[in-house]
Amino acid sequence: MTQLRWGQATDTGQVRSINQDSMHADAPLFVVADGMGGHRGGEVASAVAIETLLGSLAEPSTAALVESVQIANGTVFQRAQDDAELRGMGTTLCAVALVSDEAGERLGLVNVGDSRVYLLRGGALSQLTEDHSLVESLVRQGRITEDEALVHPQRNILTRALGISASVDVDAWEMPAVTGDRYLLCSDGLFNEVEPPVIEATLRKLADPSEAAHELVRLANEGGGRDNITAVVLDVVEGAGAAATATRMTAAAEPDLGSLGAPADTAPQPVVALPPTPAAEAEAAAATGVADVATDVGGLAGGDPPPVASPSSAEPERKRRRVTWRVLVFLVVLVSLVVGVGWLVSSYASGSYFVAFDGDEVVIEQGRPGGFLFWEPSIEQRTGTVRDELRPVAVERVEAESSQGSLGEAEDLVQNLERTSSKPGA
Ligand code: MN
């Protein structure tokens, strides 16, 4: 029998006002989910996803785990459709579960989004999951370096998440249960603030999993705590498995548009983390089409002769070339469309300012009030003025969080509010 020991910690961090991360840590299932979406959307998405996962996991197998993640996706998606306030919400989810069959006990791993599962084995830390984020795709294609990815302005854009469309691709792996292995499940609020060598050293130093989880969260807060932070540490105290590497249970399905000779200045990936609109669904469908034709075009455009056994090689050369050009034109149009829509959405999301309360302090935020899709507003300026210094009418004005066209207009508004009501009764 495999014996597990675990500990967990989560924190809102230093900047955000609510914690939209959710977690579950109790044998046989360990989950971290990082919710996104304006107002309460994010916390609902991550909580509903985990709740659904727990409720629908019928048997201890990796296949059942994948199926439960898909059910959770459907539930979050439906909630977002049914409730206007929750529209556009989504969540990442990574999970480790103890699974078993006649062959014995193993650990099943699943991931959607950019939360991560790490393994500490023999004192060395390795990342088991792949992030489904725009910057990670860019890194994989060699367009940017790992260091550039850390500070990339679009590092919060996901290419996959739960709740965005009716179905979702789930990455899955299986690991042998090896005595002494330590797993870390965490949200990006941890690894964006704490360097991997520090994560590794902390996991090596603190034997107690709960202490390790709390120390990691503390370090992330010390590093800035710009996002919600969650860490679940899972120890295999006793396992029967031999120290083998992960077995991938699903195909790596992302199409590599970069190798198709697309212009270098276009975005490489269709960003599917768009709102569940008919247009987005059509785009997702089109993206699948790209994945299918990509292999075909890659072979032809690269100038390599097609494999002799390929049934298509029997077709006349002229007909095939025509198809290739049509597909290329289609690809260029599709990529431009996706880039264009992405640019429009991103400039809409970040191109305005508004005045709001952060706690009791009046601040100027950049973005749309309540956020737009996956672009959360960020604090641009702190004013030092607090709620108590404002007259009720000014408080109301701030609470309305109305959009101002420019930073200048937002600053004017703050000045007006401060001038008309700087001292109560003045
Ligand atoms: Mn996060």
Side-chain angles (χ1 to χ4, degrees):
M1 276 295 279
T2 306
Q3 266 185 52
L4 302 174
R5 197 159 69 122
W6 58 88
Q8 71 270 20
T10 187
D11 193 71
T12 306
Q14 304 296 301
V15 175
R16 301 278 173 94
S17 52
I18 46 170
N19 192 347
Q20 300 192 316
D21 286 0
S22 295
M23 62 180 183
H24 171 85
D26 198 4
L29 186 58
F30 303 85
V31 197
V32 166
D34 177 350
M36 290 149 285
H39 288 299
R40 49 191 200 92
E43 39 181 335
V44 173
S46 62
V48 166
I50 291 186
E51 213 173 276
T52 311
L53 186 67
L54 284 170
S56 63
L57 191 58
E59 53 161 59
S61 75
T62 306
L65 186 61
V66 169
E67 209 181 299
S68 292
V69 175
Q70 278 154 350
I71 293 170
N73 173 72
T75 308
V76 176
F77 179 62
Q78 200 52 52
R79 281 285 292 274
Q81 296 287 293
D82 293 346
D83 188 337
E85 253 190 82
L86 302 177
R87 196 141 301 158
M89 72 175 178
T91 184
T92 73
L93 187 145
C94 65
V96 174
L98 188 62
V99 299
S100 64
D101 56 21
E102 316 81 60
E105 289 182 320
R106 295 179 301 283
L107 293 169
L109 269 65
V110 286
N111 181 53
V112 175
D114 70 346
S115 294
R116 289 181 181 173
V117 180
Y118 289 95
L119 169 66
L120 184 82
R121 175 181 284 172
L125 188 72
S126 56
Q127 183 184 333
L128 297 178
T129 50
E130 284 162 18
D131 298 347
H132 303 135
S133 64
L134 184 67
V135 291
E136 200 49 40
S137 313
L138 293 169
V139 170
R140 272 203 293 276
Q141 294 176 11
R143 302 254 173 119
I144 60 172
T145 65
E146 296 267 3
D147 286 342
E148 285 165 344
L150 286 175
V151 294
H152 197 281
Q154 290 176 310
R155 64 183 177 280
N156 55 342
I157 296 182
L158 298 182
T159 51
R160 253 194 253 176
L162 255 62
I164 303 305
S165 64
S167 67
V168 71
D169 281 335
V170 181
D171 284 353
W173 299 263
E174 278 189 355
M175 296 287 293
V178 179
T179 304
D181 274 0
R182 167 170 269 193
Y183 290 84
L184 166 68
L185 293 78
C186 62
S187 59
D188 62 342
L190 176 64
F191 60 77
N192 281 335
E193 304 289 11
V194 188
E195 301 272 324
V198 179
I199 296 180
E200 183 184 283
T202 308
L203 290 172
R204 289 167 66 154
K205 189 177 66 183
L206 297 171
D208 181 81
S210 174
E211 263 178 53
H214 281 90
E215 175 63 6
L216 287 170
V217 168
R218 194 192 65 76
L219 288 167
N221 267 321
E222 202 177 75
R226 278 156 285 199
D227 192 3
N228 306 143
I229 313 148
T230 301
V232 171
V233 176
L234 172 65
D235 288 337
V236 180
V237 177
E238 207 182 299
T245 48
T247 310
R248 198 179 241 285
M249 309 300 282
T250 49
E254 280 181 283
D256 183 10
L257 295 183
S259 67
L260 292 177
D265 55 345
T266 59
Q269 294 281 335
V271 179
V272 297
L274 285 170
T277 58
E281 270 165 23
E283 218 162 61
T288 315
V290 172
D292 289 337
V293 295
T295 340
D296 211 29
V297 177
L300 294 173
D304 297 328
V308 181
S310 163
S312 65
S313 67
E315 290 171 32
E317 184 70 13
R318 253 188 71 212
K319 189 181 166 200
R320 290 185 46 207
R321 186 154 290 154
R322 218 180 56 213
V323 169
T324 303
W325 278 111
R326 272 220 314 263
V327 170
L328 275 178
V329 167
F330 167 75
L331 274 175
V332 168
V333 169
L334 182 83
V335 168
S336 321
L337 207 74
V338 170
V339 171
V341 168
W343 183 82
L344 276 176
V345 166
S346 127
S347 36
Y348 172 78
S350 60
S352 93
Y353 295 83
F354 64 97
V355 177
F357 283 117
D358 179 52
D360 272 339
E361 187 185 4
V362 177
V363 295
I364 296 176
E365 301 211 36
Q366 183 183 18
R368 298 280 158 183
F372 181 71
L373 306 187
F374 290 101
W375 284 270
E376 298 282 349
S378 61
I379 294 178
E380 177 71 22
Q381 258 181 42
R382 298 191 161 274
T383 65
T385 303
V386 295
R387 190 185 290 263
D388 289 349
E389 293 171 333
L390 298 178
R391 290 183 186 209
V393 62
V395 170
E396 258 174 47
R397 188 75 208 274
V398 175
E399 277 174 345
E401 298 191 351
S402 62
S403 274
Q404 307 297 311
S406 65
L407 181 57
E409 282 169 57
E411 284 170 342
D412 287 348
L413 174 61
V414 169
Q415 270 179 12
N416 277 333
L417 295 173
E418 284 170 347
R419 223 185 352 255
T420 55
S421 55
S422 57
K423 296 281 178 294

